[in-house]
């Protein structure tokens, strides 16, 4: 409890510089691991910012210059013919070494500088490059520096934002529920910059602050590592006082939304509170975007009081009604993002929707339909009997899942009530039907669901990006949902996108999972298990995890909203696979989805005459390719004639499988099973001489049952390389099935998986085969891993995992085409992703 008196922390202006010994120890990158010199409780480790396979390229289009950069090691490629540079300038096709490796590393008042010196720039000056490292918790390993504009010809400055420049992270939950209203302050959390409040006339003293997150430790912010707020004092020495640690979630007190940071430094004697604390009180203001906090006193009582007017302090519910009031003519603004939904283009004509029982409704969006028999001002009209189902209005209402219209005051229905109709607009999956759809018909209420790109603010990327990428996009459904049945419960599921609308699936529109349960009175109860708001991520086991949040209130704890959690472990025999319900706990539904999509790729082998074998020794015969036609002649667009013969062996074209006018395009180098992309690749190298190198080629087989044997088609060509794509049914058999799972996913098929359909004996045989395969897999896996190591991204923290990834397969179009030039130099960096992102 009690703190040492010394805990009022005095930090002298701290400067350390790390001078690397001498340039002969070229591979020594220890200068990239730096003990933080002020708190002395953690190290910065920038090692993984250097890529062992390629240099970082930084173009500056404005100045027609390019920089090649390596931080912790010398450049991989020589600069102007010389080794040992860390930074190379390319200008007018000339290379200049502007930074020799290693640099001088300096930590100065929390700022981290890498300072390089290069060759002569003018008669008196040498080139210099300063790289400033800046903390951004949201930028993972694969970051690249930005080139800042430079005024002096000889001096270059780069800014490199990365999580590696950050100290340990302390974060707290930023949501709270009060009287049934939900509050979320997380949009105020800043991952790269602190909020600063000046409390005096000058620059100091100042309060440095973050929300639900520790203060970003860095330049002129040398706060204690768990501090949520700290004070930099006005004195000759630079002194930081901890005003309280991040620990508790926001809470309500006297009707005010607050955050409290407690257990700061020791308070001056004679005061009842032993430790300094800070309270931030939030005030909801719908117009207050990008506002700053204000200090209002309390230092004398060791309890700092801060107030903050912000839209982030308004409840989700009040934001919704606020946007309803301010909604314009068929437009509404999302108060969280300021994005305006505009449906005016749907006003041009009337629309129709037919329910399952055959009744057609005609309606207008924000107006009356033109062709109707209902009373004046009707917005939606039953075409069967001319009943008004609601009067139109232009009041588009905002809601998390998408905006909606509520047409009320229709004709009388029962008990003196009047008909009303909601028309909900959703940004559905790509390719989903864009017709309005009658979701539910009740005696007095009608609900219509409409997928339209007009309300697509942002679809989440269905890809988990790390040092390799896991792409779940092919699991997105656009015509029907996945259905998992457990007892009397059905889970309707889509991946990364809202559900495809289905009658009586009445979960909040925009939901990605809807749980439908038959209750004791034979009625379906629908609960939303969350919305697709976050892209998938990789968990500690390197499995891909997709989480849906913000569903219906949780029955066990109505202050919490239901979420769901899908893990996608790799199983190369699952094809796309199918979801399985696993567990329900802490208001979270947990599903598991075994799939080959997350498997990455692995090396196979070739067995003469024409068989390929995967790493589990399953064989696949390619000879039908040969039997159907010994040599395939392929003409490219320019009329170049290739002959392709996969099984021909040495008798054809001097041992090459691909031949073009007497040039052999290489002998077999690799057989690659790319489970993620569902492609099998044969790579050929060391062909006949081509300019300074030799011809290489590749053929990729894509299983399509319906095309028969098929034939190769040129996919990509360069002077010395050609790649073919071959859609064929021959490789479909290569997915031998010990655990064959259905690829099509009808409700019924899905259910069958849960019931035993094999006789016991067969089951036990199958089980022992699986066990054998598992043992084999284990042993092979060991070998494999030694092989893998040579390919490993040297800084990847990947642990052994079920994934059969041998190296990152690049994503850019060019890389896709080149697809893994030669897997012995795997390209493991994904700077491209960052550049795109
Ligand atoms: C960059 O190159 C373009 C064309 O190559 C030229 O028009 C432009 O003036 C150059 N800019 C500078 C700053 O040299
Ligand atoms: C919100 O968007 C509108 C129009 O797009 C713009 O005029 C307004 O300045 C924005 N407000 C904020 C706080 O971003
Ligand atoms: C108007 O509605 C009638 C049915 O009420 C329909 O037969 C007719 O095609 C509609 N006319 C137009 C122009 O949509
Ligand atoms: C007209 O049809 C609607 C359904 O389309 C129904 O709810 C309503 O009761 C019907 N009204 C009359 C008067 O039949
Ligand atoms: C639509 O209006 C009706 C009648 O006022 C109301 O009962 C219903 O809750 C509203 N629905 C929504 C989703 O706002
Ligand atoms: C993910 O896969 C889909 C097709 O399944 C493709 O269109 C998309 O470009 C891929 N995304 C990435 C980032 O690779
Ligand atoms: C399904 O029913 C069984 C037996 O009644 C029960 O043990 C199990 O928990 C139920 N599963 C779910 C998901 O409700
Ligand atoms: C924060 O707490 C709420 C309720 O206790 C919970 O529903 C939510 O998932 C938590 N959020 C995070 C990011 O942990
Ligand atoms: C999802 O569920 C798995 C399995 O229970 C768990 O390990 C993981 O932490 C969960 N992920 C998230 C983001 O909640
Ligand atoms: C086979 O290789 C030899 C020399 O290695 C060459 O002279 C001959 O032209 C090649 N034949 C074909 C068909 O490419
Ligand atoms: C592939 O197609 C060919 C021709 O249509 C057919 O003869 C062969 O049986 C098929 N093979 C497989 C494995 O389906
Ligand atoms: C620094 O990071 C690299 C790559 O992430 C890791 O291999 C190495 O062990 C780390 N070194 C220290 C001292 O933490």
């Amino acid at each position: 409890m009690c703190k040492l008196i010394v805990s009022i922390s005095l930090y002298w202006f701290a400067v350390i510089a790390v001078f690397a010994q001498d340039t002969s120890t070229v591979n020594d990158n220890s200068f990239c691991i730096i003990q933080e010199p002020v708190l002395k409780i953690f190290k910065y480790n920038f090692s993984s910012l250097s890529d062992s396979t390629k240099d970082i390229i930084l173009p500056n289009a404005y100045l027609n210059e390019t920089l090649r950069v390596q931080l912790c090691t010398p450049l991989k490629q020589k600069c102007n013919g010389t080794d040992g540079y860390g930074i190379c300038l390319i200008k007018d096709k000339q290379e200049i070494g502007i930074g020799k490796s290693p640099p001088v590393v300096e930590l100065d008042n929390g700022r981290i500088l890498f300072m390089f010196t290069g060759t002569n720039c003018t008669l008196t000056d040498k080139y210099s490059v300063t790289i400033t490292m800046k903390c951004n918790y949201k930028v993972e390993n694969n970051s690249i520096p930005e080139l800042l504009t430079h005024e002096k010809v000889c001096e270059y400055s780069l800014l490199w934002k990365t999580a590696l420049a950050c100290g340990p992270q302390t974060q707290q939950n930023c949501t709270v529920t009060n009287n049934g209203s939900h509050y979320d302050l997380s949009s105020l959390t800043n991952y790269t910059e602190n909020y600063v409040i000046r409390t005096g006339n000058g620059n100091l003293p100042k309060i440095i602050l973050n929300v639900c997150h520790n203060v970003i430790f860095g330049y002129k912010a040398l706060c204690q590592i768990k501090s949520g707020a700290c004070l930099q004092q006005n004195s000759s020495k630079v002194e930081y006082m901890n005003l309280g640690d991040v620990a508790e979630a926001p809470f309500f007190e006297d009707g005010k939304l607050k955050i409290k940071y407690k257990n700061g430094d020791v308070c001056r004697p004679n005061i009842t509170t032993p430790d300094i604390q800070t309270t931030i009180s939030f005030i909801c203001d719908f117009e207050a975007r990008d506002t700053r906090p204000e200090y209002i006193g309390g230092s004398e009582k060791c309890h700092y009081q801060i107030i903050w007017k912000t839209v982030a302090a308004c409840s989700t519910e009040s934001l919704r009604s606020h946007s309803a009031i301010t909604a314009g003519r068929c437009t509404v603004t999302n108060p969280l993002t300021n994005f305006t939904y505009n449906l005016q283009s749907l006003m041009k004509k009337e629309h129709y929707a037919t329910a399952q029982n055959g009744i057609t409704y005609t309606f207008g969006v924000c107006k009356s339909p033109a062709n109707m028999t209902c009373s004046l001002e009707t917005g939606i009209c039953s075409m069967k009997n001319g009943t008004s189902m609601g009067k139109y209005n232009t009041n588009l209402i905002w809601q998390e899942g998408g905006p909606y219209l509520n047409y009320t005051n229709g004709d009388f229905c029962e008990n003196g009530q009047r008909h009303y109709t909601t028309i909900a607009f959703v940004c559905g999956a790509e390719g989903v039907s864009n017709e309005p759809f009658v979701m539910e018909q009740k005696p007095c209420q009608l609900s219509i669901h409409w997928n339209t790109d007009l309300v697509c603010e942002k679809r989440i990327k269905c890809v988990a990006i790390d040092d390799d990428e896991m792409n779940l996009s092919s699991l997105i459904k656009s015509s029907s949902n996945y259905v998992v049945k457990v007892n009397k419960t059905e889970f309707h599921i889509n991946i990364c996108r809202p559900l495809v609308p289905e009658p009586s699936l009445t979960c909040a529109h925009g939901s990605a999972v809807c749980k439908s349960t038959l209750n004791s009175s034979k009625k379906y109860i629908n609960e939303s298990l969350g919305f697709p708001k976050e892209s998938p991520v990789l968990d500690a086991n390197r499995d891909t995890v997709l989480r849906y949040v913000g569903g219906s209130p949780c029955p066990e704890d109505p202050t919490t909203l239901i979420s769901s959690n899908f893990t996608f472990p790799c199983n190369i025999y699952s094809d796309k696979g199918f979801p399985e319900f696993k567990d329900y706990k802490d208001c979270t539904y947990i599903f598991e989805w075994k799939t080959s999509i997350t498997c990455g790729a692995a090396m196979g082998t070739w067995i003469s005459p024409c068989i390929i074998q995967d790493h589990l020794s399953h064989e696949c015969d390619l000879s039908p390719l040969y039997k159907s036609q010994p040599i395939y002649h392929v003409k490219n667009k320019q009329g170049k004639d290739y002959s392709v013969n996969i099984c021909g062996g040495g008798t054809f074209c001097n041992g090459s499988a691909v031949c073009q006018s007497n040039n052999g395009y290489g002998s077999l180098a690799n057989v690659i099973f790319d489970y993620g992309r569902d492609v099998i690749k044969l790579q050929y190298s060391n062909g006949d001489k081509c300019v300074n190198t030799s011809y290489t080629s590749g053929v990729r087989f894509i299983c399509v049952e319906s095309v028969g044997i098929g034939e190769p088609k040129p996919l990509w060509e360069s002077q010395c390389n050609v790649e073919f794509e071959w859609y064929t049914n021959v490789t479909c058999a290569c997915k031998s099935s010990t655990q064959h799972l259905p690829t099509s996913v009808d409700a019924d098929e899905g259910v069958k998986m849960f019931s035993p359909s094999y006789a016991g004996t067969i089951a036990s045989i199958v089980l022992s085969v699986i066990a054998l395969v598992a043992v084999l897999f284990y042993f092979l896996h060991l070998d494999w891993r030694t092989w893998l190591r040579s390919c490993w991204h040297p800084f990847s923290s990947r642990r052994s995992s079920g994934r059969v990834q041998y190296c990152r397969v690049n994503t850019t179009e060019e890389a896709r085409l080149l697809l893994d030039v030669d897997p012995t130099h795997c390209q493991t960096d994904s700077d491209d992703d960052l550049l795109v992102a």
Side-chain angles (χ1 to χ4, degrees), residues 537 539 545 547 565-567 585 588 590:
V537 295
D539 69 5
V545 179
R547 214 171 123 80
N565 178 343
F566 288 75
T567 33
K585 59 175 184 225
T588 301
I590 293 167

Side-chain angles (χ1 to χ4, degrees), residues 721-734:
N721 172 265
V722 61
E723 300 277 332
F724 296 95
E725 197 166 49
W726 196 330
Y727 290 91
T728 177
N729 71 357
V730 172
T731 56
C732 297
C734 301

Side-chain angles (χ1 to χ4, degrees), residues 470-472 474-475 544 568-578 593-602 673-679 735 741 743 802-805:
M470 291 292 126
N471 188 346
L472 301 178
S474 58
L475 299 179
T544 306
F568 295 86
C570 150
N571 180 328
I572 57 173
Y573 298 114
S574 294
D575 289 332
K576 281 190 177 172
F578 196 79
W593 192 319
K594 294 197 184 78
T595 174
S596 65
I597 286 172
T598 54
C599 289
F673 287 79
D674 186 339
Y675 301 104
R677 291 194 171 74
D678 218 355
V679 170
K735 294 189 248 168
L741 294 171
T743 43
R803 196 188 304 166
V804 291
Q805 181 81 17

Side-chain angles (χ1 to χ4, degrees), residues 130-375:
T130 304
I131 305 184
T132 307
M133 310 304 295
K134 183 168 165 45
C135 163
N136 183 342
Y137 284 100
K138 285 290 180 195
V139 181
E140 293 302 332
N141 282 358
N142 303 309
S143 63
I144 55 159
E146 298 158 37
L147 182 56
L148 305 178
T149 51
H150 58 116
E151 280 145 25
K152 298 194 184 140
V153 183
C154 303
E155 293 176 14
Y156 283 75
S157 310
L158 304 179
L159 180 65
W160 201 325
K161 294 180 190 157
T162 165
L164 301 176
C166 301
Q169 189 173 23
T170 308
Q171 208 172 352
Q172 77 189 17
N173 194 325
C174 219
T175 61
V176 59
T177 304
N178 184 47
N179 289 336
S181 297
H182 297 84
Y183 298 81
D184 186 351
L185 293 171
S186 57
S187 61
L188 296 178
T189 304
N190 202 322
Y191 293 96
T192 166
E193 211 91 49
N194 297 306
Y195 297 97
V196 170
I197 311 173
R198 301 194 201 288
T199 59
N201 294 329
N203 187 34
L204 292 177
K206 66 185 185 195
I207 295 171
I208 305 170
L209 184 81
N210 207 343
V211 177
C212 304
H213 190 287
N214 59 313
V215 165
I216 312 295
F217 184 89
Y219 185 50
K220 293 192 178 166
L222 303 171
C223 303
Q224 293 285 347
I225 211 67
K226 288 187 175 165
S227 264
C230 80
L231 181 75
Q232 188 183 3
Q233 287 180 326
N234 192 6
S235 66
S236 54
K237 36 188 192 270
V238 182
E239 180 183 287
Y240 293 87
M241 192 158 69
N242 184 5
L243 303 186
D245 284 348
V246 175
E248 296 164 21
F251 61 96
F252 268 83
E253 192 178 71
D254 310 329
K256 292 205 182 81
L257 175 58
K258 295 182 180 179
I259 287 182
K260 196 171 255 180
Y261 296 140
K262 289 194 283 208
N263 299 323
D265 282 332
V266 173
C267 185
R268 287 189 321 268
N270 305 331
I271 292 210
T272 39
T273 32
D275 305 322
I276 300 174
Q277 44 181 287
T278 299
T279 299
I280 314 172
S281 306
F282 294 91
I283 301 160
C284 158
D285 179 341
F286 292 109
E287 307 309 323
R289 291 194 179 81
D290 296 323
T291 50
R292 306 265 120 193
E294 275 173 64
Y295 169 69
I296 53 166
S299 65
E300 67 290 350
K301 292 188 190 137
C302 291
H303 189 167
Y304 286 72
Q305 298 287 345
I306 290 166
I307 58 165
W308 199 336
K309 251 190 203 178
T310 166
V311 66
C314 306
S315 69
T316 336
E317 291 79 5
S318 68
L319 286 170
R320 192 181 305 152
S321 49
H322 176 76
S323 72
I325 297 161
T326 54
R329 188 172 157 77
C330 225
T331 66
V332 66
T333 298
N334 177 346
L336 298 177
T337 60
N338 205 17
F339 176 88
T340 300
Y341 300 108
N342 185 340
L343 298 183
Q344 286 170 354
S345 62
L346 297 177
M347 293 173 71
K348 295 191 185 100
K349 58 179 192 131
E350 64 273 8
H351 306 278
Y352 299 90
T354 303
Q356 278 199 311
N357 60 4
I359 299 176
T360 298
Y361 300 94
T362 177
F363 66 97
V365 171
C366 299
K367 64 165 202 164
S368 282
N371 179 17
M372 65 159 187
T373 51
C374 291
S375 54

